[in-house]
Amino acid sequence: MTSTPFRLQHAQFSSTFPDLTLPGRTPLYTCMSPHVFKACLKVLQKRHLYYLSQLTAPSDSHLISWTTYRTAYIAQLADKRGRSLSHKWYLDVKAHTTLPDSYDQLLDRYVCPPSATSSVALIPGVTTTQKNRHWLVTLDGSHFPLFGKQLSVQPKKDTCMLVHWISDCLSSPGDVICLRPCLSCDAHVPFPSANKYTAVPPRCTLRVSLLKSLILLTDCERIRQSTTEVVSPYSWADLSITVIPYYTRLEVLPDFSPTTSVVAYDLPGDSPLGDSSTFPSPIPLPSGSHYRYYTNSSLVNLGTPEVSMGWSWVQLIPDAGYLNSVATYAHGTIQNWPSSTRAEAAAIYATLSVSPDDSTITIYTDSQAAIDGLNLCASSSYSNSRLYYKTTNFELWASIESSIRSKRLTVFPVKVKGHDGNYWNEFADSLANSAHHSDMAPLLPAAAYTSSHSVRLVFDNVVCESNPRRLLKLYFQATLLKDLLSLKRFQFVYSLSNKDDYVVDWELTWFTLNFSPAHDASFQASHAARHYTFKFKLFLDDLPLLEKLKITRSDLYIDLLTCRSCCDRMEDLIHLILCSKRRSVTHQILQSYQNHLFSKLREAGNLAEIDPTPMLRKLSSLSCWTISSSNWSSYALIRGCLPTMFIDLFVELSIPWQSAIKVVAAIHNNFIQKLRRRIWNPRTYDKSKWEDAMNITFKLKTTPRPFNLPATSYVPFSSLPPPTHLVTPRDSKIDWIKNSMTQDLPWFNHLSGFMGRLTVLLNNSFCRMECRFL
């Protein structure tokens, strides 16, 4: 995990939280060899050793001697014979952290001067003015630390604008706080008049309350063009004791208790939603009463940045005189890992959080998945089983189980049929739908439902609630994909990123590459194997063209060798398509490709009773249909990097996405098959006649290249111009994973299997002779 953006984060911060007050500054695993740490992990856990400073002198400048450590922990370290020899983990720590022959003096990077006091005195941010702008520290809505430099102050509103700077102080609370600029985040507030107050245009600005902010001391008074890092003399372990109580001093729990007096009511206990909760409590009932709730969820704009999950609960008190027995209700939203089941689980969590202790609760829901998850949590064995981390939304379900156990609740889930005229279910559904745009619908904070455990896994400020093993695997697969696109053979993709008419749809590309046409009498399994190999070699630009063979077999193919069909040009991929002997055939194949798409779009338009003419006009306007030596989009189409418009047009005509991608994959595979039979095979035949005349036999071609030949320095010829404006891809490996967490992008879930197979292909030899295609 140290080489990935995944981090372990404390779920809550307070002066009594043990891990924050530990003297640990540097994790012990960073001071040891990986194989020693792995071998001694159980020993370290048994000794409760997590930080280097647990093994250092009070001055934090020397590693404590083994004799002193043995004396302090003699009961734990002595073996059966009473001996206490230096363990290999201690010797490994000593070798990595101390200067040789220095009496265990620590290296400079491990020396941590102790804090003068346990609590830091900070000046309130409300004392700042427009003339004396400072660095501030406060908390965000999820009670995470927030840092920034003041841009402007609004004294009448007790607010100010900050230039947002970020830090990873949560992952290392004992280290001094190092700030770096925030490129942009979801909380960004546009600030067009920034040039009035600073010479450096801020990339991300926030509006915060001066009443909840404190002035932070740093080594930088003014942000300049060269400022890339700002350091504070304090650590988050020092500041949290002051910042958190100061931030929460103004928060008061609202009173939702009814004005009518009822004897022997069971009042709700403390809500796990926190002091800042704005959710109404249910109407309290006499002791021993039965609480009844209807819960529902709503999911809109799945797979887009505008995705939203709404939830709601409705309390029923039969025959109590309320309208249709609805006593009270609440609704809100929840973020990340979008699914209807997660929204339903959020409704159940909100219901249990505000319910009184020792109560019996019946929850009516139309989600069978939520009922199954609730039954599993009610068994009180969920978070103690191996199933825990393999379940999506495991943090949310663990909080539900914690509420049931800590409040001693008896929960009975009941399945109701959705959208069947049930008044209370329809009412809860309308509440969940209205939560997306209601200002009164609060966001369920992640700090509330992820605090059932002391530590949580975080990726780029998103709490991981899916199988961690799968997430780590996806991260490395995304790294492989980024490395693949960084190869020179795929640099043309960056030239397409600024064009609106051709944006590569990688999911469609992966699916098409793995699509296998059906076998019949004219297309047998052997033909399918050759077709599959040709398709992948074309995608990877590894066809044994002459420009490739001049490098791999320079002893057989000289540098001046030209196309053996026309003898006019060097033979690269573009010339293979634009050769004068096959140019008319190429245009016929490409026109057939376009006509095939047109016919399927017309069929889709007839089924949906929609005029497909605008779609056909949009499709025909794509630049990929015109093949030339300067057209990168046509090059991408031939290679198999298909545009997203191919799928979008079918979806606009009400064709399901799963059906549309199969149609496009079949059409493109038909195009590849024609390309192989009508262009590649005749080209190979022309070249084989020349090889026969030159006595380049099959045995000679399959013989390894002689080792005594000098390394070739030939640079392959390319008829395409070099890509201009090479930029970083719009989606980095981090964005792909984070977007799948926040938007549920379905294509990324299939990336792992494809990249695994593609890695195997890349590791194999792609320089086989063209005889494989005959």
Side-chain angles (χ1 to χ4, degrees), residues 97 99 105-112:
T97 60
L99 296 172
Q105 180 180 351
L106 291 174
L107 298 171
D108 292 340
R109 64 178 178 271
Y110 295 116
V111 176
C112 297

Side-chain angles (χ1 to χ4, degrees), residues 128-134 153:
T128 61
T129 64
Q130 193 67 38
K131 294 183 179 181
N132 58 344
R133 298 186 293 275
H134 296 276
V153 180

Side-chain angles (χ1 to χ4, degrees), residues 448-461:
Y449 61 82
T450 60
S451 59
S452 57
H453 299 87
S454 59
V455 178
R456 58 194 173 198
L457 185 65
V458 176
F459 182 93
D460 199 12
N461 294 328

Side-chain angles (χ1 to χ4, degrees), residues 201-457:
R203 299 180 180 179
C204 185
T205 59
L206 301 175
R207 187 184 300 276
V208 299
S209 172
L210 290 172
L211 300 176
K212 296 184 177 183
S213 304
L214 294 169
I215 298 178
L216 176 67
L217 297 179
T218 64
D219 62 349
C220 176
E221 296 181 359
R222 185 176 181 181
I223 301 176
R224 303 182 183 277
Q225 292 286 354
S226 59
T227 306
T228 59
E229 184 179 74
V230 176
V231 180
S232 172
Y234 305 119
S235 66
W236 180 242
D238 300 327
L239 296 182
S240 61
I241 304 175
T242 303
V243 175
I244 295 177
Y246 185 83
Y247 180 88
T248 59
R249 77 192 193 284
L250 299 177
E251 298 179 358
V252 181
L253 181 66
D255 184 12
F256 292 105
S257 59
T259 55
T260 57
S261 59
V262 180
V263 182
Y265 275 14
D266 287 335
L267 296 178
D270 295 335
S271 171
L273 291 174
D275 294 339
S276 62
S277 173
T278 57
F279 304 110
S281 299
I283 299 297
L285 301 177
S287 178
S289 297
H290 195 140
Y291 287 81
R292 295 175 175 84
Y293 301 95
Y294 272 80
T295 62
N296 217 315
S297 62
S298 176
L299 176 65
V300 296
N301 300 326
L302 184 63
T304 66
E306 291 77 27
V307 63
S308 178
M309 290 178 288
W311 56 264
S312 66
W313 59 260
V314 176
Q315 183 191 8
L316 303 183
I317 303 180
D319 303 325
Y322 298 100
L323 177 62
N324 289 317
S325 302
V326 175
T328 186
Y329 55 85
H331 65 164
T333 59
I334 188 173
Q335 291 180 337
N336 302 329
W337 306 101
S339 69
S340 57
T341 303
R342 177 175 175 83
E344 195 77 38
I348 295 175
Y349 169 73
T351 300
L352 301 180
S353 299
V354 297
S355 298
D357 296 350
D358 301 305
S359 58
T360 301
I361 300 172
T362 298
I363 295 179
Y364 299 88
T365 176
D366 56 10
S367 173
Q368 185 61 44
I371 292 177
D372 295 339
L374 189 57
N375 287 331
L376 189 63
C377 292
S379 64
S380 299
S381 61
Y382 170 65
S383 60
N384 295 327
S385 66
R386 297 183 62 184
L387 182 65
Y388 172 62
Y389 285 109
K390 296 181 180 180
T391 306
T392 305
N393 306 314
F394 55 79
E395 290 282 2
L396 184 56
W397 287 116
S399 296
I400 292 175
E401 179 191 6
S402 178
S403 298
I404 295 174
R405 183 177 61 255
S406 62
K407 302 176 76 170
R408 301 171 299 280
L409 302 176
T410 303
V411 183
F412 298 102
V414 178
K415 178 71 165 62
V416 297
K417 190 173 182 179
H419 307 288
D420 194 39
N422 188 312
Y423 173 80
W424 300 290
N425 184 69
E426 297 289 344
F427 181 55
D429 182 64
S430 63
L431 283 174
N433 288 323
S434 64
H436 302 298
H437 308 288
S438 175
D439 296 334
M440 302 302 294
L443 172 66
L444 189 63
Y449 61 82
T450 60
S451 59
S452 57
H453 299 87
S454 59
V455 178
R456 58 194 173 198
L457 185 65

Side-chain angles (χ1 to χ4, degrees), residues 641-688:
C641 300
L642 304 182
T644 184
M645 186 182 293
F646 282 8
I647 293 295
D648 293 342
L649 295 179
F650 283 97
V651 174
E652 291 179 16
L653 293 174
S654 303
I655 298 298
W657 181 87
Q658 292 82 358
S659 301
I661 196 172
K662 293 179 181 178
V663 170
V664 175
I667 295 174
H668 185 78
N669 273 266
N670 182 265
F671 166 74
I672 296 296
Q673 187 174 353
K674 291 180 179 179
L675 197 69
R676 184 175 65 88
R677 288 187 307 177
R678 302 184 62 183
I679 293 181
W680 177 256
N681 288 347
R683 169 264 174 198
T684 306
Y685 177 73
D686 293 340
K687 180 172 171 291
S688 64

